[in-house]
Amino acid sequence: MDLQGLYVAAISLLIGTVSLIVAIMLIRLWDRRRGPRVNARHLEPALHPMIFLFRDHRLIDATPPAQQLLHRIGTPDSEWSRLLRWIGPRFPDADLSALGASDRIEIEGATGTGSARLRLLAEDLGGGLLRITLTDPRADHAGIVVDSMSQQAMEEELDLLRRALDQTPMLVWRQDEQERITWANAAYLRQAETLAEGELSWPLPRLLDTPRPVPGAGTSTHRAPLDLGDNVSWYDCHSHQIDDQMMMFALPANAAVRAERSLREFVQTLTKTFADLPIGLAIFDRQRNLQLFNPALIDLTDLPTGFLTAQPTLFDFLDKLREMRMVPEPKDYRSWRRQMNELESAAAHGHHVETWSLPSGQTYRVTGRPHPDGAVAFLFEDITTEISLTRKFRSDLLLGAQVLNGIEDALAVFAPGGQMVLSNEAYDRMWGASCTSLSEAVTLWQERIAPGSGFAALTEALKADETPRQIRGAMSGPDGRLMGWTVSRIAGGRRMLQFHPTQLDRQDAAEPAATIACPDRTATGT
């Protein structure tokens, strides 16, 4: 190559170098105008380890992530208790008291699988110093960039859920397959602290004895008591299977237990009352099946206990009574069925009462009453004695009336208030009719007889507040003859007035005398 060629090559090399330098300068100038260059180290924040340093279970130092963790736990007890509460569910096999035999404990957590498991490293540094290191393998070599608004929304939702669970009155906890509690809400912790009477330790104690759920059965419910010493609280426990964990929800059930106990006691009281009633009771439901009866029903009807406990229908019950001859003897079965249908219909729509005269001579009162929800109740009462007493009382009244009507003297009885209690036929024949009160009787007497001193003495004796046991007198009768009267004081403040003929009239009794035609009346009484 000649000298001219070397010169051209040198010039070309120089021009290329200058061009490269100018290009680099222009690029840097362009970058300065666009903004400062982003350092790659700022793409993800520096990852600090989570390390706690304790001396005799008192926190003396911690890295920022460790301090944030203790702050998130947020319970008022010591940092050591808070850390153990957080470690317990995630590291169930962690026993930090074993550091006396070994200076170093390294455990993998229960959550996550493979390399994603949490790791705990506890080291005894001597002099009461204990260093605990928590490592999350997922964040060792990767920076996680999260949108700030999304992060804020998730934190707000998490705070809301945490507050809701901590303020709910029900107990909520989570347990693993070995029934160890791995998490609990604030209500559960408060109850546990009350029973522990001091600082809690992990694992938390089980407060309620809940049965192990059956696999594949889904949600199960169980009621369990919580003995608090001076009283017992009841909870309805609901279990939900979530992967290999079991979520438990215990709802307070004290009100329901008290209501059930009151209902049970009320039913027992009613049962005892029904058992002591002399009236037979049979309650049939809407389908007319026997649901309740008392022992008196068996005594009155002689029905077998096995038949009644089999819950027969109403018509089977009535047919059985017919077979036992415990119903009125019907003319035929068709009329019997029609009568029983009418009985059931009347009892279902309102109060219905029938009297059954049985072939055995007994008399039953059958009462049908409607009950709520379409049920109907029948009451069987033996009124044989009552009917016998009523009949005897009526017979005695009839006998007394016949005796009074057989007396020749006219009799009338007045109550203390002036009402006429009774009179006999002789009184009605004498005065034409009986009155309802003493004032009416006095008016009638005045119209039928001539005035005289005897009548005035009679009215005075009847109206006087205090009278002797017996007062006698005489006056003119309605036929103009002289007749005697007697006012006697009897039981209850009543006065009995008796009109009778005098001695002269008795001597002339053989002579016929005109009588006043009066309506035929029998003695009445109250």
Side-chain angles (χ1 to χ4, degrees):
M1 181 180 292
D2 55 2
L3 183 59
Q4 185 178 1
L6 292 174
Y7 180 75
V8 173
I11 293 298
S12 300
L13 179 62
L14 178 62
I15 293 173
T17 302
V18 172
S19 300
L20 179 61
I21 293 173
V22 171
I24 292 175
M25 291 178 63
L26 290 175
I27 291 174
R28 288 186 176 181
L29 180 60
W30 180 257
D31 289 341
R32 287 193 184 98
R33 291 181 178 180
R34 293 183 59 185
R37 187 175 181 182
V38 179
N39 194 336
R41 293 178 299 174
H42 297 289
L43 291 177
E44 62 181 38
L47 298 175
H48 297 281
M50 190 177 294
I51 301 176
F52 305 85
L53 188 61
F54 290 91
R55 183 190 297 274
D56 298 328
H57 295 175
R58 296 184 61 185
L59 183 67
I60 60 176
D61 197 7
T63 58
Q67 295 177 358
Q68 293 177 5
L69 175 63
L70 293 176
H71 179 70
R72 277 201 311 271
I73 298 174
T75 52
D77 48 1
S78 64
E79 290 86 355
W80 176 257
S81 299
R82 278 185 278 174
L83 181 59
L84 290 183
R85 189 171 300 161
W86 188 88
I87 289 176
R90 294 163 178 81
F91 300 91
D93 299 329
D95 186 8
L96 299 182
S97 61
L99 285 174
S102 175
D103 295 337
R104 178 186 176 94
I105 295 179
E106 186 171 1
I107 304 175
E108 288 189 351
T111 59
T113 58
S115 61
R117 285 181 178 271
L118 294 175
R119 293 184 179 87
L120 181 143
L121 176 61
E123 299 172 291
D124 188 359
L125 304 180
L129 289 174
L130 176 63
R131 181 170 63 189
I132 299 176
T133 304
L134 295 173
T135 305
D136 186 357
R138 295 172 294 182
D140 283 348
H141 305 290
I144 302 175
V145 180
V146 181
D147 178 50
S148 60
M149 298 300 293
S150 300
Q151 178 72 18
Q152 181 180 1
M154 287 188 294
E155 290 178 355
E156 290 177 354
E157 183 178 2
L158 178 61
D159 181 67
L160 175 62
L161 294 177
R162 184 183 293 115
R163 289 176 180 270
L165 283 177
D166 287 342
Q167 293 177 5
T168 181
M170 65 179 175
L171 309 182
V172 184
W173 71 96
R174 183 180 63 189
Q175 61 188 31
D176 57 13
E177 295 179 349
Q178 287 74 33
E179 297 187 356
R180 294 176 298 189
I181 297 177
T182 58
W183 176 85
N185 69 336
Y188 190 98
L189 295 176
R190 286 193 296 268
Q191 293 289 5
E193 290 175 354
T194 301
L195 292 178
E197 298 181 355
E199 190 172 314
L200 290 176
S201 60
W202 203 269
L204 292 174
R206 292 188 61 192
L207 300 180
L208 299 173
D209 186 15
T210 57
R212 182 183 293 273
V214 179
T219 303
S220 60
T221 305
H222 174 73
R223 179 167 292 174
L226 175 59
D227 190 359
L228 299 177
D230 54 344
N231 60 357
V232 176
S233 297
W234 289 87
Y235 292 88
D236 287 331
C237 301
H238 303 262
S239 60
H240 299 267
Q241 185 75 35
I242 302 178
D243 297 332
D244 58 345
Q245 300 280 329
M246 183 68 64
M247 288 298 300
M248 305 294 298
F249 302 88
L251 281 69
N254 289 332
V257 171
R258 286 194 297 267
E260 291 174 359
R261 184 182 296 114
S262 300
L263 178 60
R264 186 167 53 253
E265 293 174 354
F266 179 69
V267 171
Q268 290 176 355
T269 303
L270 288 181
T271 302
K272 293 179 181 179
T273 304
F274 291 159
D276 295 335
L277 281 178
I279 300 175
L281 176 66
I283 298 179
F284 296 85
D285 59 13
R286 175 183 293 180
Q287 287 75 30
R288 298 298 180 261
N289 293 319
L290 181 63
Q291 295 295 332
L292 180 65
F293 65 93
N294 64 342
L297 182 67
I298 301 176
D299 299 335
L300 292 174
T301 61
D302 294 332
L303 291 176
T305 305
F307 172 76
L308 296 176
T309 55
Q311 296 183 339
T313 64
L314 173 60
F315 292 104
D316 291 340
F317 175 81
L318 295 175
D319 286 341
K320 191 68 173 179
L321 288 179
R322 181 171 177 268
E323 293 177 7
M324 303 288 294
R325 298 178 61 83
M326 297 303 297
V327 294
E329 191 67 30
K331 296 180 179 179
D332 52 42
Y333 186 76
R334 181 176 298 177
S335 62
W336 154 254
R337 293 294 294 185
R338 184 173 59 255
Q339 181 182 357
M340 291 302 102
N341 287 332
E342 294 174 355
L343 172 65
E344 187 272 337
S345 177
H349 293 87
H351 184 76
H352 180 72
V353 181
E354 285 188 3
T355 301
W356 288 1
S357 297
L358 306 183
S360 61
Q362 294 176 296
T363 304
Y364 283 1
R365 179 188 293 126
V366 180
T367 305
R369 297 176 180 270
H371 272 228
D373 198 23
V376 63
F378 288 94
L379 289 80
F380 296 83
E381 184 178 1
D382 188 355
I383 58 173
T384 304
T385 304
E386 178 182 343
I387 294 297
S388 300
L389 290 176
T390 302
R391 290 172 179 171
K392 184 177 183 301
F393 181 69
R394 290 177 179 175
S395 176
D396 293 342
L397 287 179
L398 181 61
L399 176 62
Q402 291 176 351
V403 171
L404 287 176
N405 293 331
I407 298 176
E408 296 181 356
D409 294 345
L411 294 177
V413 178
F414 297 93
Q419 298 86 3
M420 180 178 285
V421 177
L422 60 87
S423 63
N424 64 349
E425 292 180 354
Y427 179 90
D428 295 340
R429 287 195 302 269
M430 177 178 292
W431 299 106
S434 61
C435 303
T436 59
S437 63
L438 177 60
S439 60
E440 293 179 2
V442 171
T443 302
L444 177 64
W445 299 339
Q446 288 177 338
E447 295 175 353
R448 302 295 301 276
I449 65 175
S453 59
F455 178 77
L458 172 62
T459 56
E460 182 179 354
L462 289 173
K463 295 181 179 179
D465 294 335
E466 297 291 338
T467 60
R469 181 171 297 275
Q470 195 174 73
I471 301 177
R472 297 179 181 272
M475 68 178 189
S476 176
D479 56 355
R481 297 183 182 184
L482 183 66
M483 67 177 181
W485 55 261
T486 303
V487 176
S488 303
R489 182 161 49 89
I490 58 179
R494 299 180 179 89
R495 293 178 175 86
M496 181 177 68
L497 173 60
Q498 180 180 1
F499 294 102
H500 51 82
T502 60
Q503 293 293 333
L504 296 177
D505 290 336
R506 287 194 179 95
Q507 293 176 0
D508 298 336
E511 299 179 2
T515 58
I516 302 175
C518 297
D520 186 15
R521 298 178 58 88
T522 58
T524 59
T526 57

